[in-house]
DNA sequence: CAAATTTTGTGAAAGGAGTCACAAAATTGA
DNA sequence: TCAATTTTGTGACTCCTTTCACAAAATTTG
């Protein structure tokens, strides 16, 4: 398993394989071939094997892969075998939706804190829909609470004008991962990771495909 | 402008250029070089020129690009110069958030209908936050209303178990574009375009980067 | 007006990612 | 036990994307 640069596309596919394997495991399937898995994920069978080959040998020739083992191995590769502790910052429309997103629970992503800036109708409110309710705190407690609750990922759902400032706070609080939903490109120092999710870029993409087909 | 297959990455970047140019235009900047634009969008200058070259010649040698013209040209390329009429299906947490997403208005994406399945607390409710309020209708009116309101894109925010069925309804209603937020892979016939947005795949990606840096 | 400067557009080179094809390993069955 | 079968892991090949590098075009300056 010597080091090599792993294509980002490979990581995205591993995530898909993982979701497929989860379904298969629940369905009681024990063994799967690269061809079957590829089929389900709409990719090439060699692609599946290549993707896995970056990280080692997981299959048995003539047999395939043990669903349960491969599922665990991929989770280990992705780092999704551990529980990730997250905070949501900006509890408006989207932030509230994320707070009650059930799939985060099923997967290993857990929202353990929520922050907003002052609006009295929000601060102190408790999101009850999740397993454990989360109280919305004032943003000025971010640093303190981030340490206390060992927050590792921050989800930014503030207006775009505030997004970079919030990111800076997260960096200061040593929250190393940021997922930003505001339509602004977030910049973070070396050692931190920020990903932007641009809804309108996705729509622009769709619009292009619709216009040209 | 002879035909060539356009890389999807190019389309994504064009969308980014477009957003940058919008900001520049508002800031009153008149001319921009490929190097400047590249810098802002964190890409290579030759990349900017190559991306544009797929669609024609838009610059003036020795000068650069006229911000306003390039902005318009890119919008024309992307098909985002026209207004796109959208429906949201599944008015729960995420669906409601999308209904009040202001940037859709600023961009040229307009939500003109909302559908849910029966829960009395939702049907008939009106989202007031947008420019024009949108009444939530029962899903069984989808086909009829889609025609009437000339809906071109459907945003699926139902539980994953319902997502494919809803997609089938959209296809039947001849809504050609689908953006699916449920964690299921949507399949549509030739001539339709469906994109899935998997939140946990994005998080898996982040988790991987955090685990390996 | 011509030389110097700027910056585009693009062919060629380099670099990555995906697919093919087959030897190697494991299993099955006679 | 050994041939037939299955399916992995991987080198080689193809295809696609990005970057480089420079001629061509426009502008500016002396
Ligand atoms: N609504 C959507 O469906 C949607 C979709 C995609 C992206 N987005 C983006 O997500 C962000 C939030 O959208 P929204 O519709 O939920 O907006 P919103 O106005 O409903 O919510 C924003 C929240 O952020 C809080 N806030 C503002 N400044 C803050 C700060 N410095 N620190 C902490 N909290 C702060 C506000 O009090 C508010 O509660 C926006 O950037 C938007 O562009 C929204
Ligand atoms: N909440 C989030 O932040 C979030 C984030 C990413 C993805 N998602 C996904 O988006 C989807 C919606 O999430 P949510 O949290 O809003 O769930 P939700 O349960 O709050 O909302 C789902 C809505 O869909 C409606 N519905 C169910 N079946 C329907 C049908 N056949 N036709 C029309 N409407 C129907 C329900 O009545 C409900 O109002 C889920 O698939 C979820 O996995 C949610």
């Amino acid at each position: 398993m010597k080091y090599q640069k792993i294509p980002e596309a490979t990581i995205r596919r591993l995530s898909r394989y993982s979701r497929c394997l989860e379904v298969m495991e629940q369905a009681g399937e024990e063994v799967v071939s690269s061809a079957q898995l590829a089929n389900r994920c709409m990719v090439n069978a060699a692609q599946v094997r290549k993707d896995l080959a970056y990280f080692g040998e997981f299959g048995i020739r003539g047999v395939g892969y043990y669903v349960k083992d491969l599922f665990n191995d991929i989770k280990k590769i992705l780092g999704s075998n551990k529980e990730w502790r997250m905070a949501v910052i900006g509890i408006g429309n989207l932030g509230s939706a994320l707070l009650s997103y059930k799939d985060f629970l099923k997967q290993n992503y857990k929202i353990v804190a929520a922050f907003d800036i002052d609006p009295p109708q929000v601060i102190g409110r408790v999101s009850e829909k999740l397993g454990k309710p989360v109280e919305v705190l004032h943003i000025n407690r971010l640093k303190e609470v981030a340490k206390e609750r060992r927050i590792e990922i921050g989800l930014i759902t503030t207006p775009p004008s505030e997004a970079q400032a919030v990111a800076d706070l997260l960096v200061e609080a040593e929250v190393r991962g940021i997922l930003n939903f505001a339509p602004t490109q977030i910049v973070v120092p070396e050692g931190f990771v920020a990903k932007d999710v641009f809804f309108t870029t996705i729509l622009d993409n769709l619009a292009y495909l619709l216009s040209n087909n």
Side-chain angles (χ1 to χ4, degrees), chain A:
Chain A
M1 206 204 277
K2 66 177 183 295
Y3 185 74
Q4 242 187 307
K5 207 206 155 291
I6 314 294
E8 190 165 304
T10 289
I11 301 301
R12 262 198 305 277
R13 281 190 298 269
L14 285 175
S15 176
R16 269 206 268 164
Y17 303 157
S18 154
R19 211 132 302 128
C20 261
L21 289 165
E22 190 175 20
V23 172
M24 289 179 182
E25 193 188 25
Q26 274 159 14
E29 294 172 55
E30 301 205 332
V31 176
V32 67
S33 70
S34 59
Q36 292 170 316
L37 187 55
N39 222 280
R40 289 242 206 170
C41 297
M42 318 255 247
V43 298
N44 180 293
Q47 184 75 78
V48 171
R49 299 198 296 273
K50 257 283 149 79
D51 285 336
L52 294 172
Y54 283 111
F55 302 97
E57 305 195 0
F58 303 97
I60 300 164
R61 297 177 186 214
V63 179
Y65 304 86
Y66 290 113
V67 171
K68 207 174 154 180
D69 292 349
L70 187 58
F71 183 40
N72 282 322
D73 288 332
I74 292 182
K75 282 200 288 194
K76 212 174 292 169
I77 292 168
L78 289 175
S80 62
N81 54 335
K82 81 183 271 292
E83 183 180 274
W84 291 91
R85 301 169 66 78
M86 313 196 295
V88 182
I89 299 102
I91 311 304
N93 297 301
L94 184 57
S96 302
L98 290 175
L99 276 183
S100 23
Y101 186 26
K102 293 169 232 37
D103 282 20
F104 281 154
L105 272 187
K106 273 200 301 186
Q107 309 292 330
N108 49 305
Y109 299 100
K110 200 170 170 189
I111 296 175
V112 298
F115 300 92
D116 203 296
I117 196 162
D118 224 317
Q121 77 273 21
V122 171
I123 301 291
R125 207 185 66 198
V126 168
S127 170
E128 307 157 38
K129 299 192 190 167
L130 281 185
K132 255 193 206 156
V134 175
E135 187 187 354
V136 181
L137 306 175
H138 193 282
I139 181 73
N140 66 18
R141 297 188 53 196
L142 176 62
K143 197 168 173 179
E144 156 208 352
V145 175
K147 292 262 145 70
E148 204 174 285
R149 303 196 189 166
R150 305 192 315 283
I151 293 167
E152 299 164 292
I153 295 176
L155 308 178
I156 300 182
T157 51
T158 63
S161 56
E162 311 297 319
Q164 182 63 55
V166 168
D168 294 344
L169 286 179
L170 286 167
V171 167
E172 208 193 324
E174 289 175 68
V175 175
R176 283 185 57 234
I178 294 179
L179 193 57
N180 166 48
F181 290 92
T184 319
Q185 205 159 310
I186 291 293
V187 182
V188 290
E190 186 71 28
F192 292 77
V193 183
K195 288 252 164 198
D196 305 304
V197 181
F198 295 128
F199 275 48
T200 44
T201 294
I202 305 172
L203 276 173
D204 283 351
N205 231 290
L206 200 61
Y208 172 77
L209 292 172
L210 289 174
S211 305
N212 295 277
N213 280 297

